């Protein structure tokens, strides 16, 4: 083999080797990603008082007509699969005085929320049975700072005859309102 033939042979050999090393190669595999359902609910407050209509002068009636902005914010995080929605219900517990009706209103969601946020059901009368106050919650979060979420406000209504006739020994009534984030079936 002459010199030119040897150079040609080695050139072809290196060309075949380097072209084999430079060839693109790919492969693939399946990866399963599982995102769990999330259902988190929180109340944030500035710890303001929620007292209704004290009478300051003898002979004045107790005024329960004005809505009290509670400065309590309801916030939540929700991750759902498919089209299933969630809702928030509220119940009232404790000794509700006779002749008194308790109402709550969740304002529309404000702040940094993203996703399919729930819609307020408006002013709802509370009882010991769950009442829907927010519905249509999908995968979303409301945010949890400042004024993120739904501002809650409360109303009281009074049947004066029933209220005043039943108050033989008036005492302070402490009510507990329980909020629950649940599937909307």
């Amino acid at each position: 083999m002459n010199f030119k033939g040897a150079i040609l042979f080695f050139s072809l050999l290196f060309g075949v080797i380097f072209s084999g090393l430079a060839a693109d190669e790919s492969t693939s595999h399946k990866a399963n990603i599982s995102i769990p359902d999330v259902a988190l609910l929180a109340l944030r407050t500035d710890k303001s008082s929620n007292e209704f209509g004290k009478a300051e002068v003898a002979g004045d009636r107790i005024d329960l007509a004005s809505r009290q902005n509670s400065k309590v914010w309801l916030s939540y995080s929700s991750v759902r699969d498919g089209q299933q929605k969630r809702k928030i219900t509220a119940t009232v517990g404790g000794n509700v005085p006779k002749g008194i009706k308790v109402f709550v209103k969740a304002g529309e969601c404000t702040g940094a929320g993203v996703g399919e946020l729930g819609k307020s059901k408006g002013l709802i009368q509370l009882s010991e049975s769950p009442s829907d106050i927010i519905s249509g919650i999908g995968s979303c979060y409301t945010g949890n700072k400042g004024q993120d979420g739904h501002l809650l406000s409360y109303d009281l209504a009074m049947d004066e005859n029933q209220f005043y006739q039943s108050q033989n020994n008036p005492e302070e009534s402490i009510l507990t309102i329980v909020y629950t984030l649940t599937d909307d079936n």
Side-chain angles (χ1 to χ4, degrees):
M1 187 189 289
N2 65 22
F3 183 71
K4 285 184 182 180
I7 291 180
L8 183 60
F9 172 74
F10 285 113
S11 296
L12 288 173
L13 180 65
F14 285 122
V16 169
I17 291 173
F18 284 116
S19 67
L21 292 177
D24 288 337
E25 189 173 319
S26 67
T27 186
S28 65
H29 67 91
K30 292 183 179 180
N32 292 329
I33 298 174
S34 176
I35 300 173
D37 272 2
V38 174
L40 302 171
L41 182 66
L43 292 173
R44 292 176 292 100
T45 181
D46 68 358
K47 301 191 187 324
S48 63
S49 174
N50 292 320
E51 292 182 357
F52 282 83
K54 289 180 171 179
E56 301 292 334
V57 178
D60 281 353
R61 58 189 292 261
I62 298 172
D63 180 17
L64 301 178
S66 61
R67 177 173 294 150
Q68 301 293 312
N69 180 345
S70 67
K71 296 186 182 169
V72 174
W73 292 86
L74 186 74
S75 57
Y76 48 88
S77 297
S78 173
V79 175
R80 296 297 309 165
D81 60 343
Q83 298 300 314
Q84 179 66 40
K85 301 289 186 235
R86 289 194 165 118
K87 64 182 177 180
I88 297 176
T89 63
T91 58
V92 64
N95 185 23
V96 179
K98 285 190 175 186
I100 299 292
K101 294 178 183 175
V102 180
F103 297 85
V104 67
K105 179 180 180 187
E108 292 302 322
C109 191
T110 62
V114 174
E116 194 173 357
L117 299 164
K119 301 293 181 199
S120 173
K121 295 288 226 170
L123 189 64
I124 303 295
Q125 182 178 349
L126 298 179
S127 68
E128 293 177 353
S129 299
S131 300
D132 296 356
I133 65 165
I134 298 172
S135 65
I137 300 170
S139 291
C140 65
Y141 66 91
T142 59
N144 63 3
K145 304 264 190 284
Q147 297 180 351
D148 293 344
H150 299 264
L151 178 63
L152 300 175
S153 57
Y154 298 95
D155 279 344
L156 296 179
M158 177 171 53
D159 176 331
E160 290 183 359
N161 289 330
Q162 190 178 22
F163 177 77
Y164 285 111
Q165 289 173 4
S166 68
Q167 296 302 315
N168 295 332
N169 295 315
E171 295 180 9
E172 181 177 69
S173 291
I174 298 176
L175 305 178
T176 302
I177 300 175
V178 177
Y179 297 94
T180 305
L181 177 61
T182 185
D183 289 343
D184 193 359
N185 297 327

